[in-house]
Amino acid sequence: MKWIFLFFFGLVSLNGYFAANITEVENLYSSLLTNYNKFVRPLVSIYDPVYVNVTYHLIGLKEFDEVNGKFSLVGFFTITWIDLRLAWNPLDHNSIYAMELPESKVWIPSLTLVNPYDKIETIGKGIFPVTYVFNGLAYWSPGDVISSGCEVDVTYYPFDTQSCSVMLMCWGYAPTAIITLAQTPEIQMDYFSEHGTWEIVDKKLNTYLDSALSYITIDIKMKRYPAFAVINIVLPMVFMVVLNLLVFILPVDSGERVSYSITVLLAIAVFLTLVGDNLPKTSKPTAMLSYFLLGDLVLSALICFIVIVGLTFYYKDDIEHPVPKWIVKIVKMCCYRKICRRQSKSKTAIEAFNANAGTKKFKPPIDDDVDDDEDDVVVTWKKVSRCFDRVMAIICLLIIFILTVLFFVLTM
């Protein structure tokens, strides 16, 4: 139906201009604007409001600044109303059915952005002509970049979905004077260009009317493409923490364990600072990614502490500071259980062999790790250190896995 109207409108306009010459158009222009007062709204009756119908054509999303909460759209409006003061009889003007008049010379609705980012401004800058049909129908199509404030919710960044609204109304007019209506709830996307970061998942042009206010809102719901943030933020953080775990397989005698773990800790701290600059400076809500990065930082600091404790165990003297029995039990249970079981089975087999072979005893080869009295593993501080490193590496790996899984489960 819209295309039929536009085709008919264009046809009658062309017929009018082909039939009329420049002098007749100038005469109609002078006739229409003589004694015309652009500061008075079009009135049929003082008790009847002017109905302003609005359609919005979205061209693209120019900017969405999560840090500052700035939301910018590029598009143009199609606004229509009736002004009977600018109606004429085409037969009296050589079949002129349509006429373009300057925006600055006629009355236009003061459609104003109510929730701007910088300052309150009206739509239109005096450069867009208003097309009038002979029956007084006004057709105005101003275009502009609209920048409004938007509450940003980055809880699930980079898998977040944002909802922003642009509120427009005829400022200074009560609903009894001007009623602003959305001609269609659908935002037109005929000229839309996709954004590289955001996907438009829902869009509406809504009308709100009560006894005090009459306004429309452009409601945009968009979802972030997460690939960039995952590749450049999340995965590098996971890899750096996993890289930190390699400190447990670095030979202690190399003397590089502490410097290696601190270097990775500083790299994670610097990376955390860079990521924080790209997130809103707000504590409510706080991005789950911030908690994830903080957990990685704390874990890296914990690994530095574990490395220092492990080195303390490694360089302790076994004679001056013998290993306590409770530590011996823990180390045997965690790291040498299989060896103890294997040696226990060997001892049982030897005893059975000796019992069947007679009086001559069979003696197994002497092992440095086997105590002659108990036939068990001899736990030294170096073995305590190696067992401590092995257990802590497994625990830290489990923590990294749990943090990563929780982050993706809670945010996706």
Side-chain angles (χ1 to χ4, degrees):
M1 195 65 188
K2 179 184 72 173
W3 297 109
I4 296 176
F5 170 77
L6 292 176
F7 175 76
F8 174 75
F9 177 73
L11 184 62
V12 297
S13 300
L14 289 175
N15 288 338
Y17 281 116
F18 282 137
N21 55 37
I22 186 66
T23 303
E24 292 166 341
V25 174
E26 291 177 348
N27 291 336
L28 177 59
Y29 178 89
S30 300
S31 175
L32 292 175
L33 295 181
T34 300
N35 299 324
Y36 181 86
N37 191 345
K38 68 175 183 178
F39 301 105
V40 178
R41 64 184 177 91
L43 294 174
V44 177
S45 171
I46 195 173
Y47 301 104
D48 295 331
V50 178
Y51 290 91
V52 177
N53 301 303
V54 181
T55 303
Y56 186 65
H57 301 260
L58 181 61
I59 296 177
L61 175 63
K62 180 182 179 183
E63 179 184 7
F64 183 72
D65 189 348
E66 302 97 321
V67 177
N68 299 313
K70 183 178 181 181
F71 176 64
S72 298
L73 293 175
V74 180
F76 63 94
F77 295 88
T78 298
I79 306 174
T80 60
W81 67 93
I82 298 293
D83 191 347
L84 293 179
R85 294 174 298 175
L86 297 177
W88 69 92
N89 187 353
L91 300 179
D92 296 337
H93 297 277
N94 203 0
S95 300
I96 300 177
Y97 289 92
M99 182 75 179
E100 290 80 19
L101 298 178
E103 176 186 320
S104 58
K105 298 291 185 179
V106 296
W107 180 91
I108 57 173
S110 56
L111 201 62
T112 307
L113 180 62
V114 180
N115 59 337
Y117 179 76
D118 293 321
K119 58 182 179 179
I120 297 177
E121 292 182 337
T122 57
I123 302 300
K125 300 295 187 293
I127 59 175
F128 303 100
V130 183
T131 301
Y132 285 88
V133 187
F134 66 93
N135 59 0
L137 174 65
Y139 178 89
W140 185 41
S141 185
D144 205 348
V145 177
I146 303 175
S147 297
S148 69
C150 181
E151 293 186 4
V152 182
D153 185 0
V154 291
T155 302
Y156 303 110
Y157 176 90
F159 304 98
D160 54 328
T161 300
Q162 304 293 337
S163 297
C164 297
S165 294
V166 177
M167 181 179 174
L168 301 122
M169 64 180 295
C170 291
W171 198 288
Y173 291 96
T176 55
I178 296 178
I179 295 178
T180 307
L181 299 172
Q183 191 168 3
T184 173
E186 294 295 327
I187 294 178
Q188 306 302 312
M189 308 288 287
D190 300 336
Y191 311 101
F192 180 73
S193 298
E194 293 287 342
H195 194 268
T197 305
W198 297 95
E199 176 189 5
I200 305 296
V201 296
D202 193 18
K203 59 211 180 292
K204 293 292 182 182
L205 185 63
N206 296 315
T207 301
Y208 294 90
L209 177 63
D210 55 30
S211 58
L213 293 174
S214 173
Y215 62 93
I216 61 172
T217 59
I218 303 173
D219 299 326
I220 302 293
K221 185 177 181 181
M222 50 193 177
K223 184 177 181 181
R224 187 192 305 271
Y225 293 114
F228 179 83
V230 170
I231 294 174
N232 292 277
I233 298 177
V234 179
L235 292 182
M237 285 299 301
V238 175
F239 294 151
M240 276 195 286
V241 178
V242 173
L243 188 66
N244 210 355
L245 293 178
L246 298 180
V247 71
F248 294 113
I249 65 175
L250 189 67
V252 178
D253 296 331
S254 66
E256 299 293 336
R257 276 196 167 192
V258 175
S259 59
Y260 177 87
S261 58
I262 292 178
T263 301
V264 178
L265 173 63
L266 293 177
I268 294 176
V270 172
F271 198 81
L272 181 62
T273 303
L274 296 176
V275 173
D277 293 338
N278 296 320
L279 293 177
K281 307 300 185 291
T282 177
S283 298
K284 187 178 180 181
T286 301
M288 298 293 295
L289 180 62
S290 297
Y291 293 113
F292 174 74
L293 299 180
L294 179 61
D296 287 347
L297 182 66
V298 172
L299 181 60
S300 183
L302 180 63
I303 290 175
C304 291
F305 174 77
I306 292 171
V307 168
I308 295 173
V309 172
L311 292 176
T312 303
F313 291 155
Y314 188 84
Y315 288 108
K316 267 192 174 184
D317 189 89
D318 294 317
I319 299 176
E320 294 182 3
H321 304 281
V323 181
K325 292 183 179 180
W326 64 273
I327 295 181
V328 171
K329 291 181 180 179
I330 294 176
V331 170
K332 288 180 180 180
M333 182 179 62
C334 294
C335 300
Y336 297 101
R337 182 182 301 175
K338 292 182 179 180
I339 297 176
C340 293
R341 287 179 179 177
R342 186 168 60 249
Q343 291 179 352
S344 178
K345 291 180 180 179
S346 300
K347 179 180 178 181
T348 303
I350 292 170
E351 290 177 351
F353 176 80
N354 291 333
N356 296 327
T359 57
K360 190 176 181 179
K361 301 281 186 178
F362 171 75
K363 293 183 179 180
I366 297 176
D367 191 352
D368 293 337
D369 290 338
V370 178
D371 193 356
D372 293 336
D373 297 331
E374 299 180 358
D375 287 335
D376 205 353
V377 175
V378 177
V379 177
T380 62
W381 280 114
K382 289 187 177 181
K383 288 184 178 180
V384 172
S385 176
R386 286 194 290 267
C387 183
F388 181 74
D389 287 344
R390 190 183 309 169
V391 173
M392 290 297 104
I394 295 174
I395 293 175
C396 292
L397 183 60
L398 288 176
I399 293 175
I400 295 172
F401 178 76
I402 292 172
L403 284 176
T404 306
V405 171
L406 282 177
F407 171 73
F408 282 100
V409 168
L410 293 177
T411 54
M412 292 184 68

